Amino acid sequence: MRSELTMAERIQICRHHEGGCITNKALSLWASEKMGKPISEMTISRILKRKVELLGSDVGSNRKRYRKPECPNLESILYSWFLTMQEANVTIS
């Protein structure tokens, strides 16, 4: 059975790795036990390669993937507009 890790679980793995010298195998066993699903050493390796990106991101913890917007300025302006419309009780469909 394949299941994806949430961003919160990936960040938890990164933080546990920062705690001290730990091998990917030991981290895999710890994460599998802690999260109740099998996590391979390869998965641990991939997560640790993205460690800086994961720890520096502000994505929601329930998300499974993080995709950077193609146009960050447009995203920011659109979100501001959305909040303004929401405050004005305008229905958006």
Side-chain angles (χ1 to χ4, degrees):
M1 182 176 101
R2 181 174 185 240
S3 62
E4 286 191 46
L5 296 171
T6 64
M7 294 300 285
E9 290 170 331
R10 291 177 184 151
I11 290 170
Q12 189 176 11
I13 289 170
C14 290
R15 290 203 175 121
H16 188 75
H17 182 258
E18 286 182 331
C21 295
I22 187 169
T23 64
N24 286 0
K25 185 172 186 165
L27 194 55
S28 171
L29 293 172
W30 172 84
S32 295
E33 183 181 306
K34 177 87 173 166
M35 295 165 195
K37 49 187 153 187
I39 301 169
S40 70
E41 289 179 55
M42 182 59 73
T43 300
I44 296 295
S45 178
R46 287 184 190 129
I47 290 170
L48 295 178
K49 281 182 185 177
R50 298 180 51 213
K51 184 177 181 176
V52 173
E53 178 186 342
L54 289 169
L55 293 177
S57 68
D58 60 346
V59 293
S61 60
N62 291 332
R63 294 183 68 173
K64 297 196 181 217
R65 296 188 182 152
Y66 173 66
R67 294 186 180 109
K68 293 180 184 176
E70 290 183 27
C71 303
N73 284 343
L74 180 61
E75 291 282 330
S76 176
I77 292 168
L78 180 61
Y79 185 65
S80 295
W81 173 83
F82 173 76
L83 291 177
T84 303
M85 294 298 111
Q86 194 175 30
E87 286 177 11
N89 290 327
V90 174
T91 303
I92 302 171
S93 62

